[in-house]
Amino acid sequence: MDLMAAGETTAARPKRQSKIMIVDDDAGFCHALGLRLRANHYKTLSTGDGYSALALAQKEHPDLVLLDLGLPGFATGAAVLKHMRTFPSLAPIPVIVLTGRDSRDYKEPMLELGAAGCFQKPVDNKELLDLISYCLQPNNKK
């Protein structure tokens, strides 16, 4: 096989879809966000609480996590992010925080915990999709 043919077969191979995990206790928000992400060619999975999020992340190894801060129970979004940063298998996964609270109060602490970004709901689609795309580029993963 010559080099040209090898290059052609490589170029024709479809790129793997990135898998994004949505963690939010608002089922309607998860559904709407999932639709937007799938329309932009991402695979999605979602869960509504912190404990499930950690278990699902360990099982599925998503490429990126969209994390709500206001989760029910003791495992809040901040706790999930802290725990993710302590697990070697989860630590490299980019996390973007989404919150219904005033993001000015949470942005700095979340970035210090290792979040790739922090958005206040309602989230601007273009800004969120741009950050997701940036985070998923191989050279930009932390």
Side-chain angles (χ1 to χ4, degrees):
M1 180 153 76
D2 65 20
L3 290 176
M4 189 66 128
E8 285 169 3
T9 53
T10 307
R13 189 176 301 137
K15 200 175 88 176
R16 185 182 74 83
Q17 278 185 304
S18 294
K19 187 182 347 178
I20 298 178
M21 183 171 81
I22 304 166
V23 184
D24 199 303
D25 59 328
D26 180 338
F29 180 79
C30 278
H31 179 73
L33 188 54
L35 288 174
R36 273 184 262 153
L37 293 170
R38 287 189 296 280
N40 283 277
H41 311 289
Y42 294 112
K43 288 182 183 178
T44 63
L45 52 143
S46 61
T47 184
D49 69 85
Y51 293 116
S52 300
L54 290 169
L56 192 60
Q58 287 178 338
K59 180 177 176 245
E60 294 288 334
H61 296 285
D63 298 297
L64 184 134
V65 175
L66 296 174
L67 179 64
D68 181 29
L69 285 183
L71 298 173
F74 293 111
T76 63
V80 170
L81 181 56
K82 280 181 194 168
H83 279 84
M84 283 184 68
R85 293 300 169 239
T86 64
F87 285 98
S89 62
L90 302 180
I93 299 171
V95 175
I96 298 173
V97 172
L98 308 174
T99 182
R101 302 170 184 164
D102 188 336
S103 67
R104 291 174 294 192
D105 298 336
Y106 294 94
K107 188 171 189 168
E108 210 50 52
M110 292 304 102
L111 295 176
E112 286 173 12
L113 284 176
C118 186
F119 289 95
Q120 187 172 337
K121 297 176 192 174
V123 179
D124 179 278
N125 278 340
K126 183 176 177 352
E127 284 184 40
L128 180 60
L129 290 169
D130 285 351
L131 183 57
I132 288 170
S133 175
Y134 176 81
C135 288
L136 291 174
Q137 291 172 13
N139 328 350
N140 296 327
K141 286 194 176 182
K142 288 186 175 184

